[in-house]
Amino acid sequence: MPDDLLERLRSFHEHTFPGVKNQFQDLVREGQHPTILFIGCSDSRLVPYLLTGTGPGELFIVRNVGAFVPPHDGSAGYHGTAAAIEFAVLNLNVAHIVVCGHSHCGGIRALYEGVPPQATNLAAWLELGREATLPVQVTPEALRRTEQRAVVLQLERLMDYPMVREHVDAGGLALHGWHYVIEEGEVHVFDAHQGAFVPASSSEHSGTGPFLPFAGDDISPVDAW
């Protein structure tokens, strides 16, 4: 049986790496200095480098089912996503955090349809998106709306990280909520002022961060729209 993975590794070393060898050597010598933390869904159809036109050393990437952000208080247990957020903000001093969901997300659909009984970790993880669900029948429009609401929920949760809030308040960090429509090849960016996702092709910016409630308002930002 052919070992396709081995052939891919050899091809990278023999054909791809020589063309970027100097770039990687510079990144080793000078260290990494990415300006963007990209929190994206693990879906294989979401390719961060293609969406952003970036290359090695430019993105600090975290991917998980649903592009969820666990609570800062550790109530969801140890998690690599929380550690990566802290590292990106405190050590790498990134200027942007992107939360990128997408259309036809299996994780969002599973919030409505459930998961196999053996998937105990997945079931627990998906609860991080439960607040984004709607009390309606599952339709393509309901799923699309939930995917977008989930992105806003993660932006809200990011602001509970003290280092994130501190850097945002100081003007050194911007949060961006994206929803990638796979079949259209377009990212819709969250506009906090409009309370809506706007196609990047017609937006004046790349996203304006979390939608925060007014002082004293106990309405969740997710429910506000």
Side-chain angles (χ1 to χ4, degrees):
M1 180 177 178
D3 191 335
D4 292 337
L5 283 176
L6 179 60
E7 291 304 315
R8 290 171 186 251
L9 293 174
R10 288 175 173 171
S11 178
F12 168 76
H13 177 69
E14 296 172 6
H15 303 293
T16 304
F17 184 70
V20 293
K21 179 179 179 179
N22 291 338
Q23 183 179 5
F24 276 104
Q25 289 181 339
D26 288 342
L27 287 170
V28 170
R29 182 171 52 253
E30 300 172 6
Q32 64 165 332
H33 301 284
T35 60
I36 303 168
L37 167 60
F38 188 99
I39 303 174
C41 183
S42 298
D43 193 292
S44 61
R45 298 165 293 183
L46 176 63
V47 187
Y49 289 111
L50 285 180
L51 291 183
T52 58
T54 52
E58 297 184 78
L59 293 180
F60 191 68
I61 299 177
V62 181
R63 304 186 68 170
N64 60 53
V65 175
F68 293 161
V69 172
H72 177 263
D73 62 12
S75 57
Y78 293 108
H79 200 274
T81 297
I85 292 167
E86 294 175 350
F87 187 82
V89 176
L90 297 175
N91 293 72
L92 298 176
N93 198 33
V94 296
H96 305 272
I97 300 179
V98 172
V99 176
C100 187
H102 63 93
S103 61
H104 311 288
C105 181
I108 296 300
R109 178 176 287 276
L111 284 169
Y112 291 97
E113 299 180 351
V115 299
Q118 303 96 323
T120 54
N121 289 293
L122 177 58
W125 175 253
L126 288 176
E127 288 305 307
L128 292 176
R130 181 65 59 190
E131 188 179 336
T133 58
L134 297 163
V136 297
Q137 294 294 320
V138 180
T139 64
E141 176 58 30
L143 291 171
R144 181 71 58 91
R145 182 73 167 171
T146 305
E147 290 160 359
Q148 295 178 341
R149 284 166 57 89
V151 170
V152 179
L153 176 61
Q154 311 320 310
L155 294 176
E156 175 189 1
R157 201 170 282 143
L158 275 170
M159 290 296 285
D160 289 334
Y161 284 67
M163 71 290 302
V164 172
R165 179 174 287 275
E166 178 183 348
H167 283 233
V168 169
D169 289 345
L173 178 62
L175 306 187
H176 310 265
W178 293 358
H179 181 254
Y180 174 47
V181 183
I182 297 171
E183 61 272 33
E184 297 176 2
E186 178 153 48
V187 172
H188 294 231
V189 303
F190 182 62
D191 187 319
H193 302 292
Q194 295 187 45
F197 281 81
V198 180
S201 59
S202 59
S203 176
E204 297 180 353
H205 50 71
S206 57
T208 53
F211 181 79
L212 298 176
F214 295 107
D217 192 348
D218 60 359
I219 298 176
S220 165
V222 175
D223 293 334
W225 69 287

